[in-house]
Amino acid sequence: MRLWQNAGLATDQNGNLLPHSPRDLMESQNLSGFEEDKKSNELTWILGKIANYITAGDALVPTDNTLPRHQRPRIGLNQEHILEKWNILMDDLEKWHESLPVSFRGTARTTRLGDAPPGFELSFDTFEQIWFDLPLCAATMQSYHQAKILLLANEPQESTAIRSTVSARLRAYRHALHEVIYHAREVCGISLANSTDSFRINSVQALFVAGQVFQERREQDAVLELLSGIERDFGWTTRYHVAKLNDEWMKGREGNHVDRDGHGHESNWFISTSSS
C-alpha cells in the first residue's frame, strides 16, 4: 500500500480511497490529464482488491485454495462475512463511479454498419459504438464494466439458514444476469468505437471477461473478431483467450437448453435480451 501512496494514490490506512486534495489546486487544474490519470489509478487499485477477494474465496488462509481439493481445510469463512466484504467492494466501486468527471462520459452512441468478416455470422449492429474523447477514459470505463461483471458474477448468497424464498433468490439471479449482460455489451461497444493501439491492447482482458457472459452466436462472434483483430494487427497474442472462450461456449451449448430465434440464431431463453 505504501508504494501506491508514494505514487500519489490517496488512501487511508485500511486501503479506502480518499478525496484527493492537492497542495496547489490551481496548479493541479492546469496539469493536462491530471484528473483522468488519478481516476484511472484509483480504479486499478479497486480492481486489485476485487481480484484479491475472488481468489481468496471463503478460505481462512487464501493460499489454502492452491492445495489439492482433498487437502483443503473443511472450515471456511462465514458466508455473511464474505457478503459483507462484497458489499464494501461494490460500494467502493459505485462511489468511484459517482465521483467521475464529465470526461468519462461517452460523447456519443452510434450504430456501426457493414458486412461480417469471412467465417463470422455477426452483423456490426450487434452493439452500439460508445465514443470517448480520450482513449484513457475509454479504457478506464471499459475496466469499470469489467469490474462490475466480476463482482456481480461472484456475489455470495446469504446463508440458507436465513429465511428466504425461492422466488426471492431467483429474482436476485435474474437481476444479476440482466446487469452482467448490460455491462458486457458496454465493454464491446467501447471497443467498437475506440481503435487506438494502446486502447486495443489493454482491452483484451475486459473482452475476455465480457465474452464469458454471452450465449448468442452473433455476440460471441463479435468478441472473437475483436480479440482476433488485436493479435492480427499488433501480434499481441489473444489465441489463448479465443480458445478458452470457445471451450466455455461449447460447454454452455452442451449443458443448457438452446433453441433458435426467428432469424436462425442460437439463443437461450434465460440469457437472451433481444425481443422476439
Side-chain angles (χ1 to χ4, degrees):
M1 184 188 303
R2 179 62 61 185
L3 179 64
W4 283 81
Q5 291 172 337
N6 291 340
L9 186 71
T11 66
D12 61 20
Q13 60 183 2
N14 296 318
N16 300 314
L17 293 173
L18 297 173
H20 189 80
S21 301
R23 296 178 182 177
D24 190 342
L25 183 59
M26 293 301 295
E27 180 181 351
S28 71
Q29 290 176 341
N30 292 329
L31 294 176
S32 176
F34 171 82
E35 188 69 13
E36 288 76 17
D37 284 342
K38 179 172 73 73
K39 288 301 178 183
S40 180
N41 291 337
E42 288 177 357
L43 181 60
T44 301
W45 172 255
I46 295 174
L47 275 167
K49 294 170 69 174
I50 293 173
N52 289 339
Y53 162 79
I54 293 173
T55 55
D58 61 356
L60 292 173
V61 180
T63 53
D64 287 345
N65 289 324
T66 63
L67 298 172
R69 183 178 297 274
H70 65 280
Q71 295 181 13
R72 297 174 192 169
R74 295 180 179 274
I75 300 176
L77 294 174
N78 181 279
Q79 195 74 2
E80 293 301 306
H81 176 72
I82 301 173
L83 182 58
E84 181 182 352
K85 292 171 63 177
W86 184 91
N87 284 325
I88 291 173
L89 287 172
M90 184 63 81
D91 187 56
D92 286 347
L93 187 59
E94 288 311 302
K95 285 181 179 177
W96 173 87
H97 186 253
E98 291 169 1
S99 70
L100 291 176
V102 67
S103 53
F104 284 90
R105 299 177 187 171
T107 55
R109 288 176 178 259
T110 59
T111 299
R112 181 173 177 177
L113 302 176
D115 298 324
F120 289 89
E121 297 181 9
L122 69 93
S123 63
F124 284 121
D125 62 356
T126 302
F127 306 106
E128 286 184 310
Q129 292 177 291
I130 306 172
W131 300 86
F132 290 84
D133 287 335
L134 298 175
L136 174 63
C137 295
T140 301
M141 290 309 299
Q142 192 174 56
S143 294
Y144 162 74
H145 292 296
Q146 174 189 345
K148 288 286 286 190
I149 295 171
L150 291 173
L151 277 178
L152 288 165
N154 289 280
E155 178 181 2
Q157 296 299 310
E158 292 182 336
S159 170
T160 54
I162 297 176
R163 290 189 176 183
S164 182
T165 63
V166 171
S167 58
R169 287 185 179 270
L170 290 178
R171 277 197 302 271
Y173 298 149
R174 284 192 290 268
H175 173 74
L177 182 61
H178 176 78
E179 288 292 302
V180 296
I181 290 174
Y182 164 76
H183 290 290
R185 294 180 67 85
E186 292 292 285
V187 166
C188 294
I190 294 172
S191 274
L192 283 173
N194 298 273
S195 58
T196 60
D197 296 359
S198 58
F199 169 83
R200 292 179 67 193
I201 289 174
N202 281 285
S203 69
V204 172
Q205 191 62 29
L207 288 169
F208 177 63
V209 170
Q212 296 175 64
V213 174
F214 298 131
Q215 288 199 3
E216 289 195 14
R217 180 64 180 273
R218 297 171 72 211
E219 293 172 327
Q220 293 173 351
D221 279 353
V223 173
L224 292 184
E225 173 60 16
L226 288 167
L227 285 171
S228 299
I230 293 170
E231 180 163 345
R232 181 177 61 248
D233 295 342
F234 308 115
W236 192 275
T237 182
T238 60
R239 63 190 63 182
Y240 162 79
H241 303 84
V242 169
K244 183 64 176 175
L245 285 174
N246 277 318
D247 181 59
E248 290 295 324
W249 292 333
M250 182 61 67
K251 292 177 182 176
R253 294 187 184 105
E254 293 173 351
N256 295 331
H257 171 68
V258 178
D259 53 16
R260 292 182 176 272
D261 59 23
H263 302 287
H265 300 296
E266 291 179 352
S267 61
N268 183 295
W269 68 272
F270 194 59
I271 295 288
S272 178
T273 58
S274 60
S275 58
S276 55

